[in-house]
Amino acid sequence: MDLSKIKMVVSDMDGTLLNSNHQVSDQFFDIFKGLKSQGITFVAASGRQYNSIVDKLASIKDDIIVIAENGGFAMKQNTEILATPLDKNHVRDILKTLNEIPNIHPVLCGKHQAYLTGKSNEFVSKLAEYYTEFEIIDDLLAFDSEVIKIAIYHFESSEQYIYPFVKHFEDELKVKVSGENWLDISNINAHKGYALTKVMESYNLKSDEVMVFGDYNNDLEMLALSDFGFAMENAHPNVKKVAKYSTLSNDENGVEHILKMLIK
């Protein structure tokens, strides 16, 4: 495995760079210094809110690119790279469908703030891990500002209890089971692969110059863009099929394990 051409490293957050306690290891921040010294750009690509990603990577936030909301929004420092919002008619149609699904918790995701109804205190507590900036409102259907993504949570399984009810939107929108409990609906071009393509174009990078790490279905498009795509040991079976390589689990510092080889 010849890593000599790598100029960019792209990593998902939950289930990948973050361990099961949603923490970034101290080891990663030490390795990041090596990446930076070798001129290798780091990209954090997550379904999380922009502010939540930056909060996890606060000490290096000015030196990285952030792809947030599954590719619907991307920033470098204070410069917006892209934003791909949902059409308001789509937002309305999705919310009407979601109103018919039991035991789910929808969230409207803006660029820097999320919106929810607050009907479940248990869910509000859970949301705070992924969305550091959010507001509780009375009626999601009455919300009239820009929506980048609609995230939906189920305490047992998003794939089993949400996806069957919303898969018909796939003809016009991007519908992604993005985690065991989360499903995201966004603009057809709002996915990590589209955002990474734009970033790679701006840096004039080819597939053999980019390394990508992921664990879930929302990582599939960006993994396919790289000659050095790594599936975590804890990855969804779909990810293991697409990724060309594999590494240790997120709790075993699988990302760091490969990056140590890169910076040697």
Side-chain angles (χ1 to χ4, degrees), residues 176-189:
K176 278 289 177 182
V177 176
S178 57
E180 183 178 355
N181 305 101
W182 289 99
L183 182 143
D184 297 329
I185 305 177
S186 53
N187 184 294
I188 195 69
N189 286 326

Side-chain angles (χ1 to χ4, degrees), residues 11-263:
S11 180
D12 170 53
M13 295 290 284
D14 293 279
T16 304
L17 187 63
L18 303 184
N19 62 25
S20 294
N21 294 319
H22 306 289
Q23 298 169 331
V24 183
S25 72
D26 291 337
Q27 186 181 139
F28 170 75
F29 291 106
D30 289 336
I31 291 171
F32 177 79
K33 295 174 185 175
L35 294 176
K36 186 178 178 181
S37 69
Q38 291 180 208
I40 298 172
T41 302
F42 181 77
V43 181
S46 176
R48 283 176 176 254
Q49 177 187 55
Y50 171 80
N51 290 326
S52 176
I53 301 169
V54 168
D55 184 59
K56 295 291 183 183
L57 300 169
S59 64
I60 61 173
K61 65 182 177 66
D62 291 331
D63 296 312
I64 66 173
I65 295 170
V66 174
I67 295 175
E69 306 291 2
N70 273 339
F73 182 55
M75 295 270 291
K76 183 178 182 183
Q77 297 177 345
N78 296 319
T79 302
E80 182 177 303
I81 298 173
L82 86 161
T84 314
L86 277 164
D87 181 90
K88 288 186 178 181
N89 290 328
H90 282 142
V91 172
R92 184 190 66 246
D93 292 344
I94 294 164
L95 289 175
K96 286 180 178 178
T97 296
L98 297 181
N99 282 339
E100 304 301 318
I101 308 173
N103 304 317
I104 65 166
H105 305 276
V107 182
L108 301 181
C109 306
K111 290 179 182 177
H112 296 286
Q113 185 146 302
Y115 303 86
L116 67 156
T117 61
K119 293 178 181 178
S120 166
N121 290 333
E122 184 181 5
F123 175 63
V124 172
S125 298
K126 179 69 68 173
L127 182 79
E129 169 56 43
Y130 303 93
Y131 292 84
T132 56
E133 302 294 331
F134 61 88
E135 181 181 336
I136 293 174
I137 60 178
D138 293 330
D139 183 7
L140 297 183
L141 271 167
F143 185 77
D144 196 42
S145 296
E146 184 179 71
V147 174
I148 297 292
K149 181 187 78 177
I150 298 178
I152 310 111
Y153 188 92
H154 191 283
F155 276 98
E156 293 180 43
S157 169
S158 57
E159 197 160 13
Q160 184 175 353
Y161 296 109
I162 305 174
Y163 178 70
F165 297 96
V166 298
K167 63 181 181 180
H168 63 279
F169 287 115
E170 287 179 325
D171 291 340
E172 296 183 326
L173 301 170
K174 184 63 69 171
V175 178
K176 278 289 177 182
V177 176
S178 57
E180 183 178 355
N181 305 101
W182 289 99
L183 182 143
D184 297 329
I185 305 177
S186 53
N187 184 294
I188 195 69
N189 286 326
H191 56 83
K192 294 182 185 181
Y194 180 80
L196 181 56
T197 296
K198 294 301 180 185
V199 171
M200 288 172 65
E201 287 174 355
S202 68
Y203 280 75
N204 196 28
L205 296 178
K206 300 175 183 177
S207 59
D208 62 349
E209 297 174 306
V210 178
M211 178 181 286
V212 177
F213 297 90
D215 79 306
Y216 231 83
N217 292 336
N218 58 330
D219 300 320
L220 293 173
E221 289 91 347
M222 71 173 186
L223 282 163
L225 293 173
S226 171
D227 290 354
F228 297 97
F230 288 84
M232 309 303 290
E233 176 58 35
N234 51 287
H236 190 285
N238 292 344
V239 173
K240 291 183 177 181
K241 289 178 184 177
V242 169
K244 296 177 177 67
Y245 299 95
S246 61
T247 185
L248 304 173
S249 75
N250 61 320
D251 286 327
E252 298 171 298
N253 295 329
V255 172
E256 292 88 338
H257 175 68
I258 301 299
L259 293 186
K260 285 179 185 176
M261 301 180 195
L262 176 60
I263 62 174

